[in-house]
Amino acid sequence: MQNEKRDIRALSKEQLRDFFVANGDKAFRGNQVYEWLWNKRAHSFDDMTNVAKSTRQMLEDNFVINHIHVDQMQQSEDGTIKNAVRLHDGLVVESVLIPTETRTTACVSSQVGCSLDCKFCATARLKRMRNLNPDEIYDQVAAIDSESRLYHGHPLSNIVFMGMGEPLMNYNNVMKAIEKITSPEGLGMSAKRITVSTSGVSKMIKKMADDGVKFKLAVSLHSAIEEVRNRIMPFTTSFPLTELREALEYWYSKTKSRVTYEYVVWGGINDRNEDVDALVKFCRYVPCKVNLIEYNPIDDGEFQQAAPEAVNAYIKALERNDIVVKVRRSRGKDIDAACGQLANKNEAAV
Ligand code: SAH
């Protein structure tokens, strides 16, 4: 029986160099192949044109490149692109390209499905199947970078980990992917242009601070009142706001990096004065800004976008307290590419 081939991108550069030495070749060959795998985005060993055919065959015999495959690309009338990405084991995740006048942002997935249970999010209805590997996250970014160049004439400028999954529950692989994305040997992007979004896993926020990460942090808050938050995001009973506050204070003390709160205002859920007051109070703990996200209906259940007056009440109160607040219009709604809509819908229909 043939041994199962290893995923070559699970190897570090050093391990790849060692592999070549152990096989009677030069360590330098490892550098060459490593460059093909990451910087040059090779999909197969045959792409490695400056590597001898016999060496490519040897690699083929020992390893696989588990490259993602963009199964389907949908384009929205507003220019947003959604990729249905097939993984080597047949599972599917989605990633999104969001163009604006000044930037192109990739919204990438970190897990297949999600283990959280946010009641307003379509991804939460998919079971968490598995974590994505670093190379699978990297490939999503690389694919969107290529699409950005092709359709918008410039490279990708920003990345947000706001696709499927909870990035801080796949911490190691997300960190490894970001390492490659920011390395000159990978995509060479600046960490300052990357935002990791979490529903508020306090312990991991502290770990990130300790690890001295350079990217930005966003927290999906949606309510600064414990009971309300517990109701709409039931798992947060294990992640209380007091711990979140403490973790964010720790994060800021270590990184001096302002936190972004993502917040949707729903009618009858968090549109009262006391909801507004609680958010204003929470915003005083660490330097922050608030993104008020438009709700993208996933069905016609209990969640409805609040009336404009309620959203305005938030804006006024935050501004009065010198807290930066932006209203984020949804993009790509017509192709189910907006926040909270990623649910492999087309896949399910097959
Ligand atoms: N699990 C991480 C990463 C997902 S980010 C996190 O929770 O931060 C996806 C963002 O979209 C989160 O801020 C989430 O709260 C928000 N969201 C989920 N469903 C939504 C919906 N139906 N409409 C608008 N935003 C939604």
Side-chain angles (χ1 to χ4, degrees), residues 126-190:
L126 303 176
K127 216 172 75 188
R128 189 201 76 101
M129 304 294 282
R130 69 168 171 88
N131 286 336
L132 292 187
N133 293 324
D135 46 336
E136 293 169 330
I137 297 172
Y138 182 92
D139 288 351
Q140 291 177 67
V141 175
I144 290 190
D145 179 54
S146 303
E147 288 168 353
S148 178
R149 290 168 197 265
L150 183 65
Y151 295 103
H152 299 281
H154 50 78
L156 181 67
S157 61
N158 295 69
I159 303 170
V160 294
F161 281 80
M162 294 187 188
M164 294 174 162
E166 167 53 52
L168 298 195
M169 291 186 171
N170 183 17
Y171 185 79
N172 289 339
N173 289 351
V174 167
M175 293 305 125
K176 280 188 195 155
I178 292 179
E179 218 175 274
K180 290 283 190 304
I181 291 165
T182 52
S183 158
E185 290 183 320
L187 298 176
M189 290 186 65
S190 160

Side-chain angles (χ1 to χ4, degrees), residues 92-300:
V92 175
V93 293
E94 293 177 332
S95 24
V96 184
L97 176 159
I98 309 152
T100 65
E101 266 141 48
T102 51
R103 56 170 75 167
T104 310
T105 302
C107 175
V108 297
S109 295
S110 55
Q111 298 180 312
V112 187
C114 190
S115 54
L116 306 180
D117 52 7
C118 303
K119 291 230 185 292
F120 44 81
C121 180
T123 309
R125 296 181 180 177
L126 303 176
K127 216 172 75 188
R128 189 201 76 101
M129 304 294 282
R130 69 168 171 88
N131 286 336
L132 292 187
N133 293 324
D135 46 336
E136 293 169 330
I137 297 172
Y138 182 92
D139 288 351
Q140 291 177 67
V141 175
I144 290 190
D145 179 54
S146 303
E147 288 168 353
S148 178
R149 290 168 197 265
L150 183 65
Y151 295 103
H152 299 281
H154 50 78
L156 181 67
S157 61
N158 295 69
I159 303 170
V160 294
F161 281 80
M162 294 187 188
M164 294 174 162
E166 167 53 52
L168 298 195
M169 291 186 171
N170 183 17
Y171 185 79
N172 289 339
N173 289 351
V174 167
M175 293 305 125
K176 280 188 195 155
I178 292 179
E179 218 175 274
K180 290 283 190 304
I181 291 165
T182 52
S183 158
E185 290 183 320
L187 298 176
M189 290 186 65
S190 160
K192 292 195 185 77
R193 292 178 170 276
I194 300 177
T195 301
V196 169
S197 178
T198 176
S199 54
V201 187
S202 314
K203 210 172 86 189
M204 301 315 285
I205 293 175
K206 283 187 175 167
K207 176 154 174 49
M208 275 196 310
D210 284 334
D211 288 348
V213 301
K214 297 276 180 286
F215 50 77
K216 293 186 179 147
L217 173 65
V219 175
S220 302
L221 192 59
H222 302 307
S223 175
I225 298 176
E226 195 76 84
E227 306 79 72
V228 178
R229 199 159 187 266
N230 290 170
R231 187 149 46 88
I232 60 178
M233 303 162 80
F235 66 92
T236 59
T237 45
S238 323
F239 301 100
L241 281 170
T242 43
E243 275 177 28
L244 180 60
R245 168 191 175 175
E246 198 207 317
L248 293 173
E249 286 170 343
Y250 187 76
W251 161 269
Y252 188 78
S253 74
K254 289 256 174 173
T255 64
K256 294 284 174 284
S257 168
R258 185 166 78 156
V259 180
T260 299
Y261 297 127
E262 291 151 90
Y263 202 101
V264 177
V265 189
W266 292 283
I269 291 189
N270 58 358
D271 59 349
R272 303 158 304 172
N273 288 338
E274 59 189 287
D275 296 300
V276 179
D277 294 345
L279 178 62
V280 169
K281 188 168 167 220
F282 198 86
C283 286
R284 293 212 185 94
Y285 300 144
V286 293
C288 65
K289 71 171 193 197
V290 175
N291 280 345
L292 292 178
I293 315 174
E294 193 186 337
Y295 178 55
N296 304 304
I298 56 166
D299 53 28
D300 32 49

